[in-house]
Structures are given as C-alpha cells and as structure tokens.
Amino acid sequence: MDVHHGGIRGLHERNVEEFMDARSGADDLVNGNNLVDAEGVKVRTVKLLASQNVGFESLPVQFVNKATKAGFVFNVLVIGETGIGKSTLINSLFNYDFKLPPGDYQHDSVTLDKHAFQLEEGSVRLHLTIIETKGYGDQLNMTDSCQGIVEYIDKQYEAYFQEESQVVRRLSDYKDTRIHVCLFLLAPTGSNVRALDLECMKLLSNKVNIIPVIARGDSLTKKELDSFKRRIMAEIHQHKISIYSFPEDDGQVADLNRKMNVGGGGHQPILWWLFSLPFIVFFFAVVCVG
C-alpha cells in the first residue's frame, strides 16, 4: 500500500487487477469484456483452471439440496361466498381432491377453516395450508365480514415478528404461517363488483398478495366476461386497491407476466384474454365412460 503519498488508498480507488494472480486461468478481457462495478472499479473476469478449483461451483447444488430436504411452505387464503367454488378451485389447482368439508349457510359470522397437507412430488415436499372463509357475505349485516380475516393475517405477521425478534432465532425450524397469496373469488354478476368485495380487498391489499378470480365464468358469455373483466380492473384502480403484480424483472418470463398484469381484452388472442388478471374459472364435469 502507498502510505507515503496521500495515505492508504481505498479499495474503490484501486484496480481489481492489483489483487489478481497472473497465474490464474483465462480472463475475459481478451474478448473485450470490460466489467465495471457500482463504484467504477474495473473488474477482471477470471476463469479458474480445473487444478485451481475452490469449491464454490457446487453452491447451487448445495442450495437445492438444502431446500429440497427442508421442503417448501405455501399458505393460501381463499375468500368467497358460500357455494361459489372455493374448494373446487383448490382441487383443480393441485389436481387432487382434498375432500374439504362443504360449506353451509348456518354461520352467524365469518369464520376461517384451516387445513394442512404435506404434498410430495418426486423428491420435493410442499407444506400446503389452505385457509377458507366460511359465512363470508352470507349475513344480513355484513359490516364486520372482513374484520376477522384482517385480524387473522395480522396475528400471523405478529407471530413471525416475535420469532424474528428473539435473541436466539430458529427461523429454519419455525413453521411460517404468514399468508403467501389470497385467491379472491368474485361472483359472476356481469355488472359491478359487490361493495363488500371492494371493501374487503381494500382492507387486505396492503397485507397480502391478492389475485382476483371470476368464479363460475361459464355462466357468462365471452362478451359479458370481457366487459366484466374490464369493469373489475377499473373499479380496483378507482378504489386504489393494490393487487398482485407478476414480476417483470426476470427476462425469461417478463413478456408473459407483463401480458397477465395488463388485463384481458377482446382485442387480444383468446389465451391472453383467459390468462390475464382477473383470472376466470370455468367449472365443468368430466364423465368417463368405460
């Protein structure tokens, strides 16, 4: 280090080449690959020879093995009125009949039913928790229909915060109960979104990822669905409701996600019209004849 003229020079003032061993393998500068970091320091890309293997090449494999061993956690909240098709949607998403108990109209208030499953696909395990609303929108007085849902979500955040605040944290063993996504089923009215649904989505929009879904889409014509999709998105924007936005920073799926975020429309190809927010669920029975 130069301590005689101006003191010790900072790392950002140096050229990374000062720290490179000339005996290392080929470097990309010969191909004109001049890389510069955030502070303007030139970075040499060095390809290590087989005899100089450090071991970080196996890091991706180690991450995959660790994640596979621990399994993945996915907590889904499904909101919708009784009989709208919440259980049927979940069964379709995972291609399995979970045999969730059917709902009824004998609820004086909105409650939440929680069901936990461990799904195994190959060597990968998924700890799936399904939380269904019971009695949502079924009461004459619907003032507090969403309050219990909000309180439940807040409790899960508080529990995670308390665990994270421990002096000795065991997050690797902690069972994360925070809601990852909320599938919000909207009745196929064909006109406006119900005031209760708008109010509930607004209360939840800053707490959870909301994905609006039009239930029983087969009860409306394509023209009615197109108009209803546009109206839903217009009312969501009008009431400043934040819904889930598919990430567009990954180049591999950016175009697809951008089209899903924009929303459907009759001017788009039929697939983009179906697979754009808000999504549409079509229920039908498959009859197998032996």
Side-chain angles (χ1 to χ4, degrees):
M1 297 182 182
D2 185 355
V3 295
H4 301 292
H5 301 285
I8 299 176
R9 291 180 295 172
L11 175 61
H12 65 282
E13 295 177 348
R14 296 186 178 185
N15 190 308
V16 178
E17 290 178 312
E18 296 178 29
F19 302 95
M20 293 295 182
D21 189 337
R23 294 172 297 175
S24 297
D27 89 56
D28 282 351
L29 285 180
V30 296
N31 298 325
N33 266 346
N34 291 304
L35 304 177
V36 179
D37 70 4
E39 295 179 338
V41 178
K42 186 170 64 173
V43 180
R44 284 178 59 190
T45 301
V46 178
K47 297 181 184 293
L48 297 177
L49 301 175
S51 60
Q52 300 168 319
N53 198 350
V54 177
F56 58 80
E57 182 184 21
S58 64
L59 282 176
V61 178
Q62 294 178 32
F63 281 121
V64 170
N65 291 340
K66 181 179 179 180
T68 302
K69 182 179 179 180
F72 299 89
V73 177
F74 191 41
N75 303 321
V76 185
L77 171 64
V78 190
I79 299 178
E81 62 188 50
T82 302
I84 201 170
K86 299 186 295 293
S87 299
T88 305
L89 173 59
I90 291 296
N91 293 340
S92 300
L93 286 175
F94 292 94
N95 196 27
Y96 181 80
D97 185 2
F98 291 102
K99 294 181 172 54
L100 301 177
D104 54 52
Y105 295 90
Q106 307 302 318
H107 295 273
D108 296 329
S109 61
V110 178
T111 60
L112 296 173
D113 275 8
K114 186 176 180 179
H115 312 278
F117 304 90
Q118 179 171 293
L119 307 182
E120 296 183 3
E121 189 175 69
S123 61
V124 179
R125 290 179 299 168
L126 176 67
H127 304 283
L128 173 67
T129 302
I130 302 168
I131 301 98
E132 278 190 305
T133 57
K134 298 293 183 182
Y136 173 81
D138 296 340
Q139 296 80 35
L140 292 177
N141 183 5
M142 298 183 290
T143 305
D144 299 325
S145 290
C146 200
Q147 192 56 41
I149 304 173
V150 173
E151 292 175 357
Y152 175 83
I153 294 175
D154 286 341
K155 285 181 181 179
Q156 312 319 308
Y157 282 123
E158 179 63 25
Y160 188 86
F161 175 75
Q162 292 297 332
E163 179 63 28
E164 198 175 35
S165 302
Q166 300 281 347
V167 176
V168 179
R169 292 180 291 180
R170 298 178 179 270
L171 291 178
S172 58
D173 300 326
Y174 178 75
K175 296 185 183 300
D176 190 0
T177 58
R178 294 174 300 173
I179 302 298
H180 296 114
V181 66
C182 170
L183 300 178
F184 206 112
L185 273 68
L186 302 173
T189 62
S191 54
N192 297 325
V193 182
R194 295 190 310 173
L196 172 63
D197 294 334
L198 288 172
E199 179 185 355
C200 192
M201 282 194 288
K202 190 163 187 176
L203 287 173
L204 298 177
S205 62
N206 64 341
K207 300 177 182 293
V208 68
N209 297 312
I210 297 177
I211 297 181
V213 179
I214 301 174
R216 298 196 300 266
D218 48 331
S219 63
L220 299 176
T221 65
K222 182 181 181 301
K223 184 177 180 180
E224 290 172 334
L225 280 172
D226 180 53
S227 175
F228 193 35
K229 283 170 69 82
R230 292 174 181 273
R231 187 175 293 275
I232 290 173
M233 295 305 292
E235 293 194 26
I236 284 175
H237 293 311
Q238 178 184 346
H239 289 83
K240 295 180 172 57
I241 298 172
S242 176
I243 62 175
Y244 178 70
S245 179
F246 292 92
E248 300 178 8
D249 54 353
D250 186 343
Q252 294 183 341
V253 293
D255 290 340
L256 174 62
N257 288 352
R258 193 174 298 111
K259 290 174 182 176
M260 288 195 293
N261 289 332
V262 168
H267 63 284
Q268 296 183 0
I270 183 65
L271 288 180
W272 297 131
W273 178 76
L274 289 174
F275 302 133
S276 58
L277 291 172
F279 295 125
I280 308 171
V281 177
F282 297 93
F283 295 124
F284 59 91
V286 177
V287 180
C288 298
V289 180

